[in-house]
Amino acid sequence: MRFSTLAGLAAVAGSASAAIQGFNTGAFFLDQSAKKQVDFAYEFRRAQNLPNTSGWTSTRLYTMIQWGTASDVIEAIPAAIETKTSLLLGLWTSGSSQAITNEITALKAAINTYGTAFTDLVVGISVGSEDLYRDSKPDEIGIGPATLIDYISQVRNAIAGTPLEGKPVGHVDTYDSFLNGTNSAVIDAIDWLGFDGYPYWESNNANSIGDAHERFWEGYNKTLALSKGKPVWVTETGWPVSGPTQNQAVANAENAQIYWQDIACNLVAQNINIFWYTLQESQMGQAAIDFGLFPAGDLFQVEPYFNLAC
Ligand SMILES: *[C@@H]1O[C@H](CO)[C@@H](O)[C@H](O)[C@H]1NC(C)=O
Ligand SMILES: *[C@@H]1O[C@H](CO)[C@@H](O)[C@H](O)[C@H]1NC(C)=O
Ligand SMILES: *[C@@H]1O[C@H](CO)[C@@H](O)[C@H](O)[C@H]1NC(C)=O
């Protein structure tokens, strides 16, 4: 009895400082059609009403811009207001030097249009996503550390004097990119680090589902060690339900459930902010590698691939 009381108290104390739990949310469906406010709201409501799990009340966006427009505010913002979904904002910074300018235009427009109904929902802002990683690859388009630091300072200037001032500004990248000494000045410029970790993709390491726990925490711990004391948020992780085998990593629902129960459930228990990849990947098409908890179809009609209970 005494133990169960203590466990109950611990559960209450834990919930008081609960981790932020959310999903990564793309701006468009698989067929490249733009998600509208109604689509975003539908996803957010589903995330808040998952069977056998709770607390998934946040979302991470990659861009502030509505897909298919130059700099209109992404309709995920009014959808988040409508559903009381908290927001990790993202500004897409690769591709052209115009990108950050357009992102900042949309960010300012969102503040002006929606005011504190919007800004009160913001838990953080990520300037960029895996840009340093892509920059180190010959055939991919990213940006280097000096450009990224300039963009971070542009974003800080843009939110100064607005209700978003003081919201933590970070950057999302792979841990080996943060580890690269060339990039260490980026860490000085941000308030938190976003860690993306996918044991499935770690083909040069032992990466069976049985190794996944070790791979994930090795990456997370390395990121924490180089974070200069700043918080490390898990901004992307997941295991695919279908797709080709990568080294020893087999994509299926059984392994995706093992990974969810181990990684998602443990992160929540440890109060580490987590943005899962992802709620539903196949919609208006079938993803070749599908990381979704749900298959294609109406999110409130289809069942998740596996039991989400922790
Ligand atoms: C470190 O980062 C620089 C700049 O992006 C890149 O040129 C270099 O290849 C990276 N080194 C490694 C080992 O990835
Ligand atoms: C990660 O760090 C935690 C806490 O220090 C430790 O318990 C765990 O063994 C580490 N895991 C790996 C794979 O390094
Ligand atoms: C929820 O959990 C119960 C008990 O473990 C299980 O019977 C049920 O199938 C689960 N629901 C879903 C949708 O996975």
Side-chain angles (χ1 to χ4, degrees), residues 42 46 49 51 280 283 294-304:
Y42 207 68
R46 190 57 171 132
N49 293 285
Q280 184 185 45
Q283 188 64 296
F294 284 89
D298 180 332
L299 268 175
F300 275 90
Q301 300 299 326
V302 289
E303 290 284 318

Side-chain angles (χ1 to χ4, degrees), residues 16 59-60 148 217 223 274:
T59 196
R60 172 185 172 222
L148 181 56
W217 288 105
T223 309
I274 161 74

Side-chain angles (χ1 to χ4, degrees), residues 51-52 303-304 306-309:
N52 292 346
E303 290 284 318
F306 52 86
N307 189 348
L308 302 171

Side-chain angles (χ1 to χ4, degrees), residues 213-214 217-218 221:
H213 178 94
E214 184 77 9
W217 288 105
E218 187 179 70
N221 285 1

Side-chain angles (χ1 to χ4, degrees), residues 132 135-136 144-145 180 182-183:
L132 300 170
D135 195 48
S136 69
N180 184 333
T182 320
N183 298 329

